[in-house]
């Protein structure tokens, strides 16, 4: 359901209201968010044309059509801004009986603001929803009564740059959910709420990606419940500090582990933020995860700091000149990462950087 083409209809292209009513997909005009995803420039009849699309305003004809019980054919609504989302979710949800895929993008639109109880509105009006994506801008706090209850939903993505908070995961009812991406949770307390939710809707999850803002060292042992609550999980994106010390049980299907933290665990160890032994913890995790195929971290093997380790047999790989504390931390972290890379080299598990390269592929 994602980004099939550029928009099907932009009113500036001369589309009629009847065409909008009959369109299979209604798209909005937000080039800031849609261009990177499509990797090409949206089509405009003229660079000087002031294109008016559904995301910017709801034409009076559409409102009139909804008021007279006209029905939209659309199954997909993508890049929908504040005004159009309000039109669909609050004002006339009954006018969209076929909607199965919805992407709301409020990252650049603030009027009339994020719809209150957006999850509850979707749950009440669109029981056949299969794909839901919410880009809530800088930060967003859900209401405690805003419950997501969708029996057919398979994919859910929610993003808030500075953190989601007060999310009632434990009340969600998503029996068909296979793919969940949350970017990102405000703190580890929100992560604990998510874990309670996974006990209810994690049974069919195949991929889970969650970013978490971690500011203090806490007891992360509760994370181990993720393995039993998500028995079909194959792809996991999570800060590696949370899961590497607690590997999955034998025969768990996990195939891919992706670090969603901004720093590698090796860096956190070298900085002194945590005392987990590295790379020993990484190797123990790989040994326990019998189906694991790849671990991807946030570093780049092409970074200059790894140039010192291109030939690990050299007796002196230390950087030259004056070394600041920051440089020393980077160097120690890089040293630990290269040790791990060599320990896993030639084995069944790829130890990749953020670009998907092995150390020897990037530095060979």
């Amino acid at each position: 359901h994602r980004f099939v083409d550029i928009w099907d209809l932009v009113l500036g292209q001369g589309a009629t209201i009847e065409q909008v009513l009959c369109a299979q997909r209604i798209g909005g005009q937000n080039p800031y968010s849609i261009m990177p995803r499509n990797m090409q420039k949206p089509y405009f009849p003229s660079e000087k044309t002031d294109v008016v699309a559904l995301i910017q305003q709801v034409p009076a004809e559409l409102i009139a059509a909804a008021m007279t019980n006209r029905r939209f054919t659309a199954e997909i609504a993508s890049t929908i801004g504040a005004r159009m989302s309000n039109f669909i979710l609050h004002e006339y949800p009954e006018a969209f009986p076929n909607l199965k895929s919805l992407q709301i993008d409020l990252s650049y639109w603030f009027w009339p603001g994020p719809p209150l109880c957006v999850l509850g509105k979707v749950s009440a009006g669109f029981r056949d929803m299969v794909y839901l994506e919410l880009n809530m801008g800088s930060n967003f706090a859900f209401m405690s009564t805003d419950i997501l209850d969708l029996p057919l939903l398979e994919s859910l993505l929610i993003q808030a740059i500075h953190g989601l908070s007060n999310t009632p995961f434990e009340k969600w009812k998503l029996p068909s959910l296979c793919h969940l991406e949350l970017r990102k949770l405000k703190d580890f307390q929100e992560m604990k709420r998510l874990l309670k939710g996974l006990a209810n809707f994690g049974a069919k999850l195949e991929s889970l990606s969650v970013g978490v803002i971690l500011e203090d060292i806490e007891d992360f042992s509760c994370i181990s419940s993720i393995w039993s609550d998500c028995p079909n999980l194959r792809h996991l994106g999570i800060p590696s500090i949370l899961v590497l010390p607690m590997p999955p049980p034998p025969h768990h299907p996990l195939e891919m582990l992706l670090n969603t933290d901004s720093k590698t665990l090796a860096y956190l160890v070298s900085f002194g933020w945590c005392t987990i032994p590295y790379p020993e913890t990484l190797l123990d995790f790989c040994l326990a995860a019998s189906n694991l195929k790849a671990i991807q971290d946030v570093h780049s093997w092409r970074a200059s700091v790894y140039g010192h380790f291109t030939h690990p047999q050299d007796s002196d790989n230390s950087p030259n000149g004056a070394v600041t504390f920051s440089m020393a931390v980077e160097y120690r972290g890089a040293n630990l990462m290269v040790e791990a890379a060599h320990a896993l080299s030639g084995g069944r598990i790829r130890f990749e950087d953020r670009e998907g390269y092995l150390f020897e592929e990037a530095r060979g």
Side-chain angles (χ1 to χ4, degrees):
H1 292 295
R2 275 189 96 180
F3 314 111
V4 179
D5 287 304
I6 310 299
W7 323 303
D8 285 350
L9 291 170
V10 176
L11 298 187
Q13 295 174 4
T16 66
I17 297 302
E18 289 301 321
Q19 287 177 309
V20 175
L21 288 167
C22 295
Q24 289 296 111
R25 176 176 181 265
I26 296 176
Q29 182 218 352
N30 190 342
Y32 299 104
S33 62
I34 202 171
M35 281 177 62
R37 294 166 180 153
N38 282 301
M39 302 305 293
Q40 64 184 95
K41 189 176 181 178
Y43 168 75
F44 288 100
S46 168
E47 289 298 322
K48 297 181 180 180
T49 300
D50 183 17
V51 178
V52 179
L54 297 180
I55 196 170
Q56 290 179 313
Q57 62 181 358
V58 180
E61 294 91 339
L62 286 187
I63 297 175
M67 291 180 66
T68 55
N69 296 322
R70 297 292 300 276
R71 296 292 180 261
F72 292 78
T73 304
E75 295 184 3
I76 302 172
S78 60
T79 322
I80 297 302
R83 183 63 189 96
M84 191 62 186
S85 66
N86 198 60
F87 178 75
I88 294 176
L89 297 180
H90 285 256
E91 297 172 357
Y92 300 103
E94 67 280 359
F96 296 85
N98 302 310
L99 202 60
K100 295 180 174 64
S101 177
L102 177 63
Q103 183 221 355
I104 295 176
D105 194 337
L106 300 176
S107 56
Y108 293 92
W109 300 84
F110 303 98
W111 182 86
L116 295 178
C117 289
V118 60
L119 302 181
K121 292 290 184 180
V122 174
S123 299
F126 307 97
R127 301 298 291 167
D128 294 334
M129 188 69 64
V130 175
Y131 178 93
L132 178 62
E133 179 175 353
L134 306 174
N135 186 344
M136 311 311 291
S138 59
N139 55 65
F140 193 82
F142 287 103
M143 299 177 65
S144 60
T145 56
D146 200 5
I147 300 172
L148 194 58
D149 180 1
L150 292 170
L152 303 181
L153 190 70
E154 297 179 1
S155 299
L156 174 63
L157 295 84
I158 305 179
Q159 176 172 296
I161 297 173
H162 297 304
L164 292 164
S165 60
N166 198 36
T167 314
F169 297 114
E170 64 277 10
K171 299 178 182 179
W172 287 6
K173 298 177 182 179
L174 305 170
S176 301
L177 193 65
C178 297
H179 310 283
L180 176 61
E181 182 174 331
L182 301 168
R183 303 273 179 168
K184 52 195 172 186
L185 303 183
K186 187 176 181 180
D187 52 36
F188 190 68
Q189 295 305 310
E190 284 295 302
M191 185 69 203
K192 290 181 178 178
R193 298 189 72 167
L194 174 61
L195 292 174
K196 292 180 179 179
L198 291 177
N200 296 327
F201 57 79
K204 291 187 177 182
L205 271 184
E206 297 178 10
S207 66
L208 169 64
S209 181
V210 53
V212 189
I213 300 175
L214 300 173
E215 295 182 348
D216 299 310
I217 298 178
E218 300 187 36
D219 180 8
F220 300 142
S221 60
C222 59
I223 290 290
S224 61
S225 65
I226 202 171
W227 308 124
S228 57
D229 293 334
C230 304
N232 294 299
L233 194 64
R234 298 182 182 277
H235 183 287
L236 176 61
I238 197 169
S240 57
I241 189 175
L242 299 181
V243 295
L244 284 183
M246 287 164 285
H251 309 301
H252 190 280
L254 184 72
E255 296 179 357
M256 177 74 178
L257 178 65
L258 170 69
N259 183 17
T260 60
D261 201 349
S262 60
K263 297 291 185 181
T264 66
L265 180 55
Y267 177 89
L268 298 179
V269 170
S270 63
F271 189 80
W273 198 80
C274 62
T275 57
I276 298 172
Y278 193 94
E280 293 82 2
T281 301
L282 175 67
L283 300 179
D284 289 344
F285 185 94
C286 292
L287 183 64
S290 57
N291 291 300
L292 191 66
K293 297 179 180 179
I295 292 179
Q296 189 174 83
D297 221 319
V298 294
H299 66 296
S300 172
W301 291 126
R302 298 179 186 275
S304 58
V305 66
Y306 293 101
H308 298 288
F309 304 95
T310 302
H311 305 290
Q313 69 274 13
D314 291 350
S315 59
D316 183 15
N317 285 319
S318 59
N320 298 321
V323 178
T324 65
F325 173 76
S326 178
M327 293 172 57
V329 170
E330 289 282 355
Y331 173 77
R332 288 196 297 267
N335 185 37
L336 293 174
M337 294 290 285
V338 173
E339 285 184 22
H342 288 304
L344 293 172
S345 179
R348 63 179 174 87
I349 299 173
R350 290 180 60 89
F351 185 44
E352 302 175 343
D353 65 4
R354 62 175 178 262
E355 297 164 341
Y357 290 109
L358 299 176
F359 178 78
E360 54 267 30
E361 292 171 348
R363 288 289 178 179

